[in-house]
Amino acid sequence: MKIAAILSTLAAATLVSAGTFHDVGKLENINVVPNGYIIEYQAGVSHKDAQNALNSRKVDYNVRNQYNIFNGAAISVKSGHDGKDIASLPGVKNVWPITLYRIPKVQKSTKKGTDPEVGNLHSMTGVDKVHKKYKLTGKGIKVGIIDTGVDYKHPAFAAS
């Protein structure tokens, strides 16, 4: 009987544990959408469960998109609630601000193809400049890419 009580207590604690709000701060070439958040739900939490949690805390919001490939949604908050408030809701695993990225202006390289530096991928992609200027190494960062495929029937891919 004690084991069942311990397990039910652990399960309840898991359901109400606070999620994590990932603040992007101020970075170059990034615009944060005001009051826009991407929410990742804990395993087993449905869109309806998450919406009930938002409604129970009187969060005034609009659903921008619901994801099935990713257990979560994008929302716009109309009330005074912020990302930390959303992260504290039951069933929420992670919250990120919706961010828009601008493509930096491309500068023509002054290096010759025979320069040894050209063979270095970090210098070719500008990673060396990020390391130097911002002291960022990428440690602890996860990158996700969602690829829905290519429409091979699109006119841009037509045989000439």
Side-chain angles (χ1 to χ4, degrees), residues 72-150:
I75 65 169
S76 294
V77 177
K78 297 186 281 184
S79 56
H81 296 85
D82 64 14
K84 290 180 183 175
D85 296 331
I86 305 299
S88 71
L89 294 173
V92 172
K93 184 175 180 180
N94 289 296
V95 177
W96 297 271
I98 296 174
T99 54
L100 303 175
Y101 296 84
R102 292 186 309 270
I103 298 173
K105 292 180 182 176
V106 177
Q107 296 176 354
K108 190 172 181 177
S109 176
T110 58
K111 301 200 183 308
K112 295 180 182 176
T114 56
D115 288 346
E117 233 180 291
V118 172
N120 182 336
L121 291 176
H122 282 187
S123 66
M124 288 183 355
T125 58
V127 170
D128 59 333
K129 292 177 185 171
V130 172
H131 286 178
K132 189 175 186 179
K133 184 173 181 179
Y134 298 109
K135 307 290 188 256
L136 296 175
T137 63
K139 183 177 181 182
I141 301 298
K142 294 179 183 176
V143 176
I145 299 171
I146 300 173
D147 183 355
T148 59
V150 173

Side-chain angles (χ1 to χ4, degrees), residues 20-46:
T20 304
F21 175 62
H22 301 272
D23 191 359
V24 294
K26 293 186 188 265
L27 296 174
E28 202 172 294
N29 296 321
I30 296 178
N31 289 327
V32 174
V33 174
N35 304 314
Y37 300 99
I38 297 174
I39 305 170
E40 178 184 10
Y41 312 142
Q42 293 177 355
V45 174
S46 69

Side-chain angles (χ1 to χ4, degrees), residues 53-64:
L54 288 164
N55 294 332
S56 72
R57 296 280 178 91
K58 304 207 183 321
V59 177
D60 189 10
Y61 67 97
N62 286 331
V63 176
R64 296 170 66 108

